[in-house]
Amino acid sequence: MRLTTSTRRNSLRCLLASSVACILVAPVMAQDTAETQDVITVTAQQRAQSSQDVPISLQVLDSEFIDSVAADDMGDLEAFVPGLDVSNGSPTQPRYSIRGITTSDFGVGTDPAVGIYVDGIYAARSGASLLAFNDIERIEVLMGPQGTLFGRNSAAGAVSIITRQPSDELEGRMALRIGSHNRVRTEGMINIPISDNLAIRANILRNKADGWLTDTVTGEDYRRENGSADRITVRWNATPSTEILLRHSRDNISQDARPAIGIVDLPAYPATPALPVDSTTFLNPFSAPIRNDVAINRESRDLAETTLTIHQEIGDMTLTSLTSYREFSTMNREDEDGTNRVDTYFDTSNVEANEAFYQELRLAGTSGPVDWLIGASYYDESASQVSETHTYTDTVNTVLGNIGAGTPFTDLEYGLLVPFNLAFSMLGHTWSENMYNEGEFTARAIYGDMIWSVTDRMNLSFGLRYTEDEKSFQWLNGSRQADSLDQTLAALDSAGILGLAGASPSDFLFDFVFDLSPLAGVACDNGVNVAENVACIQRDSWSNLSPRLVLDYQLTDNVMVYGSYSEGYKAGGFNSVEVGSRFQNENVTSWEFGFKSDFIHPDLIFNMSVFSYLYEGKQSVRLVVPTGGGIPQYLVQTSDDEAIGVDLELDWDVSEALRLYGNAQWLDSTHKRRVDSNGADLSGEPTGEPYWNLAVGAEYVIDWGGNGDLTLQANHSYRGESRCNSQSILQGTCGGYTAFETGEARNRTDLRLRWTAPNENLTISAFANNLFDNQYVEGVNNLTADTLGTPFATISTPRVLGVEIGYDF
């Protein structure tokens, strides 16, 4: 969908007019209020409230909806939350986006722009932010800056995942899900009340599936899954006014890394792919041969976390203490060339280890017309990351030849060693280069928030959070590692053979991936300059004051209007692969105006908000080819972005049997200020986000009397066409090619048919995810395009069919 500027303005005017019309007609629809509706309780404002009383644009996903789409993690839900985008192709490195705001950096030196919270505890690193769904009560997705209530790194919004607490009844659940690609997912839960004031709840989950892609040469499957998750929670009511919750959870995955689908024809060896790459000859990724030869095709994560939550009633006040210790390690090694040849081989591996401690104290209460809370938090994290690259001397030779630096390995091989039958070879030797990062991060914050009931119908909310961040970050790039090559060079040198060619072993001691020569002379805070084999440490601190101001007014018993101003920020940091770099805080300021309405006759909820934001100092990591050519480097680029948009939500119980629901977001996001690395001015151009995202669904229940209920549920999501700019085309996330498109509009339809026994303890379901088998090219990766001529692509998941049996007792 392509809209002109006038069309965009008219669309926004129509949406605004619709909201005004709904507000005006609301008093007429709300005449009968004798009955009450079921309400969804949320904690979006750190208080238990009805979702309709919260003056924030949010979407709540309960356990029933999660089950209805057979979701395993947040990546399976994002299609049904317009405005939320979760890239989960690599579960150890997911990327979250809300209202078009995301973080593109994958290193430990930076933080995400979307805050992920599990039971109120911040899940900082991306490696810990995409967890398996087991025994989930609900998920709250909060749109817009949440800097006051949720703190640092919630500049775009927050995702709050709430798990189930132990109950006072003996209960349990067993579930088995079987689906396409031999997927088997088993889950078990037991809740045991030990005494009147002590209960335990335990949950286990196992998930395994075969791959849905096959290597053309080896026949090996790719995209296999293997994961598990466990949680045990103890609830102790130590006194009538004291509740203690102790949780320990573990999450493990060990599966295939993302495969690379090569999209260029490979000439017969020893010829190499042509440069520059001709995009008009790209192969269709859905029919192109898959040829991966990564030495260790693996993505894994081991995570363990223990949390202690204490609620203490003190008169009319509640003191809450949140304590958490988390540790995890991840490893992800991927093919980066989409070929199976030694002269074009390149793979990367990301290895992380992380420890984090979090403590928050919060005191809440009510004083006359004011509902207030104050709090303080402390966060301490130690993180390490190794960015590894692996290749062979054959590939190094290919790259050097392609960038005009000669072909020293084959020159020696076929100019000297082979003609004289010397028992040595310059080819076939492994070659690796690594960047080692270590980070120490500390954050302290104090905050306060109040809701003042000015009148029976008007509330004024005001909040303020002050945060201090301190970070220390280290880079260390060691010499390239090529042990067998060095042994060969030493032997050739001692025999005088290298001298005949006018060469020495030192001629081959160079880095071609992590070449630090362009950064020579850059000063580090530990008194050294950037250089190979030298640890460069940078230290910095940042502070931020994030306010929010909200005014809401109850027009009728069923209609609330509100307006808000809020700020959020993402802490400054460091680019893990750009040695000596640092960047400042990223700040988001947002205005939002909307209404929330719920009616009894008809049984209808309709919410709408209009928002705008300015995102200043946004850091983006981009793959950049140096001026004059050479090895592409990841560099940080800065921009200011701005957007206007509209959120819509509808939930209508048409009858006792039929329910209709839907959500939509219209967004116009552009660069206010951005100059590309090549000097191109992108100001005023779109950031790549589509205009429209929407999700609609219907649920119909057939009462079979003594035979139970039959429920048919259908969900459909639509993501509009990406709005391209020159940068997004260069990065391969947007644009059309002869054989395929990236960034095209997406559709997904899910169906589920569930039978529930009369006593509701047994359910049998059949489901179809992506019913029409719509698959899309998720992007073109150009990491090796300019040096090896080997761009590659990834594609989205195909249709999944399955059945599920659940038994509750």
Side-chain angles (χ1 to χ4, degrees):
M1 180 186 298
R2 300 185 183 275
L3 302 180
T4 64
T5 301
S6 60
T7 304
R8 295 200 303 269
R9 291 173 179 168
N10 289 336
S11 298
L12 185 58
R13 287 169 183 164
C14 290
L15 290 168
L16 289 171
S18 299
S19 66
V20 173
C22 289
I23 293 173
L24 292 177
V25 78
V28 177
M29 299 180 67
Q31 290 178 357
D32 187 347
T33 60
E35 301 177 37
T36 59
Q37 288 180 297
D38 292 334
V39 296
I40 299 175
T41 300
V42 298
T43 53
Q45 297 193 113
Q46 307 291 14
R47 309 161 172 89
Q49 298 172 284
S50 164
S51 61
Q52 287 300 102
D53 293 335
V54 178
I56 296 174
S57 180
L58 79 158
Q59 185 167 343
V60 182
L61 306 170
D62 60 18
S63 59
E64 290 187 6
F65 185 82
I66 294 172
D67 290 340
S68 72
V69 295
D72 291 321
D73 56 44
M74 281 301 302
D76 298 324
L77 291 177
E78 53 97 18
F80 303 105
V81 185
L84 172 68
D85 186 45
V86 183
S87 174
N88 68 333
S90 295
T92 63
Q93 295 174 284
R95 297 179 186 177
Y96 286 80
S97 170
I98 290 181
R99 288 180 173 174
I101 298 176
T102 188
T103 296
S104 59
D105 195 350
F106 46 79
V108 297
T110 189
D111 294 296
V114 177
I116 311 299
Y117 298 82
V118 181
D119 292 322
I121 305 297
Y122 176 52
R125 290 287 151 233
S126 61
S129 64
L130 192 71
L131 305 179
F133 286 158
N134 57 323
D135 211 19
I136 301 297
E137 179 179 319
R138 69 181 185 279
I139 299 170
E140 302 172 14
V141 182
L142 286 66
M143 305 289 183
Q146 305 297 321
T148 300
L149 291 171
F150 284 86
R152 60 198 290 273
N153 307 329
S154 297
V159 177
S160 180
I161 301 172
I162 294 91
T163 64
R164 295 189 185 277
Q165 297 184 14
S167 67
D168 294 326
E169 297 180 359
L170 176 64
E171 58 178 320
R173 174 174 174 79
M174 296 183 294
L176 171 66
R177 181 186 302 166
I178 301 173
S180 302
H181 319 298
N182 293 322
R183 177 179 298 279
V184 178
R185 184 182 190 270
T186 58
E187 184 175 5
M189 183 277 295
I190 185 70
N191 187 97
I192 305 174
I194 304 298
S195 65
D196 291 342
N197 55 15
L198 182 65
I200 298 177
R201 190 180 187 95
N203 179 275
I204 60 173
L205 172 69
R206 300 292 182 266
N207 187 36
K208 193 170 184 178
D210 292 343
W212 47 270
L213 290 172
T214 302
D215 191 289
T216 305
V217 178
T218 66
E220 183 178 3
D221 284 343
Y222 296 132
R223 286 298 193 188
R224 291 167 293 195
E225 298 179 27
N226 187 13
S228 63
D230 310 305
R231 183 187 304 111
I232 183 168
T233 306
V234 179
R235 192 205 71 213
W236 178 34
N237 296 107
T239 72
S241 59
T242 307
E243 180 187 67
I244 300 175
L245 288 167
L246 179 63
R247 299 181 179 91
H248 180 75
S249 60
R250 186 192 67 86
D251 192 289
N252 170 269
I253 60 173
S254 180
Q255 61 185 48
D256 291 338
R258 178 269 302 142
I261 303 176
I263 53 175
V264 293
D265 276 321
L266 291 179
Y269 184 85
T272 56
L275 281 176
V277 172
D278 183 2
S279 61
T280 63
T281 64
F282 280 175
L283 305 176
N284 188 333
F286 295 103
S287 56
I290 301 176
R291 294 170 289 202
N292 282 194
D293 56 356
V294 58
I296 302 175
N297 177 21
R298 179 168 171 254
E299 181 169 17
S300 64
R301 178 185 63 211
D302 287 297
L303 181 148
E305 180 177 22
T306 301
T307 66
L308 176 66
T309 303
I310 302 175
H311 298 290
Q312 177 66 53
E313 301 294 333
I314 307 174
D316 294 332
M317 300 181 297
T318 301
L319 176 65
T320 300
S321 171
L322 298 173
T323 308
S324 169
Y325 175 75
R326 176 193 296 118
E327 59 182 2
F328 71 86
S329 59
T330 69
M331 182 270 194
N332 183 22
R333 188 166 177 177
E334 300 174 332
D335 191 295
E336 302 286 7
D337 58 273
T339 74
N340 62 340
R341 287 176 36 169
V342 70
D343 58 340
T344 53
Y345 180 98
F346 190 71
D347 79 60
T348 63
S349 179
N350 181 71
V351 181
E352 295 184 33
N354 181 284
E355 294 182 1
F357 173 79
Y358 181 76
Q359 175 65 56
E360 180 175 358
L361 292 173
R362 183 166 63 234
L363 184 65
T366 301
S367 300
V370 178
D371 182 347
W372 56 269
L373 65 85
I374 57 174
S377 66
Y378 173 79
Y379 179 76
D380 184 78
E381 177 185 6
S382 297
S384 66
Q385 180 179 32
V386 184
S387 300
E388 302 176 346
T389 64
H390 307 93
T391 187
Y392 289 92
T393 51
D394 310 61
T395 301
V396 177
N397 192 78
T398 301
V399 171
L400 294 176
N402 286 339
I403 65 175
T407 53
F409 294 94
T410 52
D411 289 348
L412 279 172
E413 183 80 8
Y414 299 112
L416 185 62
L417 302 182
V418 172
F420 290 94
N421 293 317
L422 299 176
F424 298 97
S425 177
M426 295 295 291
L427 302 176
H429 301 287
T430 59
W431 177 298
S432 65
E433 299 178 28
N434 303 325
M435 179 70 73
Y436 300 88
N437 300 125
E438 293 183 3
E440 297 289 337
F441 315 128
T442 301
R444 294 173 290 271
I446 56 174
Y447 62 93
D449 190 81
M450 71 168 193
I451 302 175
W452 174 29
S453 298
V454 182
T455 69
D456 292 342
R457 292 187 175 276
M458 181 185 294
N459 295 315
L460 178 65
S461 302
F462 175 72
L464 197 63
R465 180 185 292 254
Y466 175 74
T467 308
E468 291 182 347
D469 278 281
E470 294 181 1
K471 295 187 177 183
S472 173
F473 197 73
Q474 174 183 290
W475 297 262
L476 175 61
N477 175 38
S479 301
R480 65 101 178 102
Q481 299 175 14
D483 293 342
S484 62
L485 171 65
D486 290 338
Q487 294 171 7
T488 299
L489 291 171
L492 291 173
D493 188 51
S494 64
I497 298 174
L498 276 184
L500 294 176
S504 70
S506 62
D507 294 332
F508 298 89
L509 292 173
F510 59 86
D511 283 2
F512 81 103
V513 177
F514 296 119
D515 179 13
L516 302 186
S517 57
L519 300 173
V522 174
C524 306
D525 290 343
N526 58 329
V528 301
N529 290 337
V530 173
E532 191 173 89
N533 289 308
V534 174
C536 173
I537 299 176
Q538 301 283 44
R539 303 180 183 90
D540 214 332
S541 61
W542 300 269
S543 62
N544 176 266
L545 196 64
S546 295
R548 81 163 185 144
L549 182 64
V550 186
L551 181 67
D552 66 82
Y553 184 77
Q554 203 75 31
L555 281 179
T556 71
D557 291 342
N558 304 84
V559 180
M560 177 187 71
V561 295
Y562 67 92
S564 69
Y565 171 83
S566 60
E567 294 185 11
Y569 89 107
K570 192 184 90 170
F574 313 93
N575 176 12
S576 61
V577 291
E578 186 178 350
V579 182
S581 66
R582 74 179 86 202
F583 54 85
Q584 300 303 312
N585 286 347
E586 303 174 27
N587 300 290
V588 178
T589 56
S590 176
W591 292 89
E592 185 169 329
F593 301 91
F595 70 88
K596 293 194 171 186
S597 60
D598 59 285
F599 310 109
I600 305 302
H601 298 295
D603 197 342
L604 173 71
I605 290 176
F606 179 46
N607 302 327
M608 181 176 182
S609 68
V610 180
F611 62 87
S612 67
Y613 67 74
L614 173 62
Y615 193 164
E616 297 178 289
K618 180 182 179 182
Q619 308 294 318
S620 300
V621 173
R622 292 289 183 262
L623 197 63
V624 176
V625 178
T627 302
I631 306 300
Q633 303 289 327
Y634 282 107
L635 299 177
V636 171
Q637 299 177 356
T638 306
S639 68
D640 294 340
D641 296 347
E642 58 184 354
I644 58 173
V646 179
D647 287 328
L648 297 163
E649 180 184 5
L650 174 70
D651 195 326
W652 180 19
D653 288 333
V654 181
S655 66
E656 291 185 1
L658 178 62
R659 175 185 170 219
L660 304 176
Y661 48 89
N663 296 272
Q665 182 176 101
W666 180 86
L667 181 71
D668 183 6
S669 175
T670 58
H671 294 299
K672 182 178 182 180
R673 178 194 61 83
R674 178 168 182 179
V675 177
D676 202 3
S677 58
N678 57 12
D681 188 353
L682 301 182
S683 301
E685 292 195 27
T687 63
E689 295 299 313
Y691 280 122
W692 281 103
N693 282 277
L694 61 88
V696 295
E699 182 181 279
Y700 188 75
V701 180
I702 301 173
D703 185 355
W704 281 4
N707 296 315
D709 295 336
L710 190 65
T711 303
L712 176 62
Q713 188 171 27
N715 297 291
H716 180 80
S717 68
Y718 167 81
R719 176 180 172 86
E721 180 184 9
S722 298
R723 299 169 59 203
C724 300
N725 59 49
S726 57
Q727 184 64 51
S728 60
I729 295 173
L730 178 64
Q731 295 298 319
T733 59
C734 192
Y737 303 95
T738 304
F740 61 91
E741 290 186 10
T742 59
E744 62 181 313
R746 297 188 176 200
N747 288 279
R748 170 178 162 176
T749 303
D750 287 9
L751 288 182
R752 188 178 187 90
L753 182 64
R754 181 179 70 246
W755 172 77
T756 305
N759 58 4
E760 299 185 351
N761 64 344
L762 177 66
T763 59
I764 301 176
S765 306
F767 64 87
N769 291 348
N770 190 16
L771 176 66
F772 300 108
D773 202 22
N774 293 320
Q775 286 187 269
Y776 304 94
V777 178
E778 296 185 321
V780 173
N781 191 310
N782 291 309
L783 180 63
T784 56
D786 295 303
T787 52
L788 293 173
T790 53
F792 61 91
T794 55
I795 59 178
S796 62
T797 307
R799 175 174 50 228
V800 175
L801 306 176
V803 295
E804 184 170 359
I805 301 174
Y807 180 74
D808 296 89
F809 59 89

